[in-house]
Amino acid sequence: MTAQRQILGRAAILVVAVFLLVPILVGFYETALPAIGLLPAIGADHLSFEPIRKLLAIPGIETSVRLSLVTGFAATFLSLLLAISFCAALHGRIGLGRAGRWLSPLLAAPHAAMALGIAFLIAPSGWFSRLVAEYLTGATIPPQLMTVNDPMGLALIGGLLVKEVPFFLLVIAAALNQIAVAQQLAIGRSLGYGRGVVWIKVIFPQVYAQIRLPVYAVLAFSLSVVDVAMILGPSNPPVLSVVATRLFQAANIDMLLPASAAAMLQTLLVVLGIGIWWIGERLLAAVARAVLRRGGRGVGSEPLIRLGAGLSLLLLGSGFLALFSLLVWSFTFRWPFTEALPSVWTGANWSLTSSGWLTPFLNTVTLGVSATLLSLALAILWLEGEDRSGRRVGGITSSLLYLPLLVPQIGFLYGLQLVFLRLDLDGTWHAVLWGHVLFVFPYVMLALSDPWRAMDRRYLRAAAALGSSPTRVLLVVKLPILLRPLMVAAAIGFSVSVAQYLPTLFIGAGRVTTLTTEAVALSSSGDRRVVGVYATLQAMLPMLIYSLAFILPRIVYADRRALKGDPA
């Protein structure tokens, strides 16, 4: 058994090293060299701080850094606050299973598709403005307001909230399964505390300890997001991640050096941001302990909790409306301002000759399916190895699994592109597939590991006692029992693959296009009808897989309720 455990530990470390750690470190190293003037391919072969000086000389770079920090922290803090308020006000009144099904369209839709839908809603000539003009103000032209790409980043914060609030609701729901919520609520109510206050003072501290990693991941993503910032964020100057991306894509190859410096600055910004959040956690905990010792009932805070829940519902409703607006625009031929709906409808926008979406669609599907299957296979091998050795891989090795979720993509993807260029793999479908697996695998592990480890082991022991081999137990007992978690993990993995923008852009070198890269590129074209087609396809594909994840177990186990994943 000892030898088997050693083999497991080494195999786990090898998987983490080969697929996650080494590529990321190599990518950072290769990106950092041009940042200090070392890129021999363009004649830069002397150590120099000139790239950093050029970056700092770019007009508005200080504003870009400030915008990144403000929008990243505001989106993360407000998302968490609204999600907690929603749970405090409505926990126990909505079943977790039903809530998960309702939230699945918002969770499945890629960030870029949701951002485009939000832009269709809040733009000066968007759906909200048309409704107000037709039914309230009677205006005949769009208002002169900058509701998208505003200089304060409010639209960017709003777009991130629509995606992150459902995500936090999902992870909080998963964490609640580990806590005796009903009993603690009953005790708190019997002592005279309000329902929401019990949730905030007693239950939330226990929940937060379990969701700290997802919070850090959301913060890192919000500080360094590119595609949503390009669609909704400030444009002049933009946030730092967009500055770096534009410099990398500039026609002048000399700009690669300050672009690498910007990527390194973005990395430092994320590290600094997580550090600030970590310090804030401890300060807030100290304040919270002092408040708890006072023993106030906090009844006056109940209206604020209900207000937060109401705002959360408003955000969720806006998310559904944003997705519906994509579909409406994809069938629009003529839609004059002030009319609430298109005056002329058409299906011609979907024709291959007018929008040319077939190749990006096929690339999106094949990359998504392949990345998901590979990630599932790796996750099953990892978890089955734990079972057979009788030892769970933990500590630093397990934590490194989630490294791709915490580091900014812009910080290492250019370096990986250089490596693939030297290996003559740059711009190939297989290289892009590997880039997708790098980000899909951690999400699949997050979704699958808890259900796998929580499975009732008596079934496995019974099968083994009847003479079944470990492989037969895996194929005939374990995988069928875990069909629903496997399908959910696959749906999440496929959704993550569809949403990948920077990995496809950098590693694909423009030769591998997906619906996401095309939708972001078309977002500034002004033709909302074609953008609507791409964004609708981009949102619909993950939704179909999510639907399969809910429906397939019901069909396969139609006569076995316990295997359908329904709550007892």
Side-chain angles (χ1 to χ4, degrees), residues 294-308:
R294 289 169 51 193
R297 296 293 187 269
V299 178
S301 61
E302 289 286 335
L304 292 176
I305 293 172
R306 286 195 286 271
L307 175 63

Side-chain angles (χ1 to χ4, degrees), residues 200-241:
I200 297 295
K201 288 188 173 182
V202 179
I203 298 172
F204 173 64
Q206 303 173 65
V207 169
Y208 189 79
Q210 300 183 52
I211 66 170
R212 183 175 282 114
L213 178 62
V215 171
Y216 290 167
V218 168
L219 177 63
F221 177 82
S222 301
L223 287 169
S224 59
V225 63
V226 174
D227 48 1
V228 179
M230 282 184 167
I231 296 168
L232 294 174
S235 56
N236 191 26
V239 295
L240 183 61
S241 56

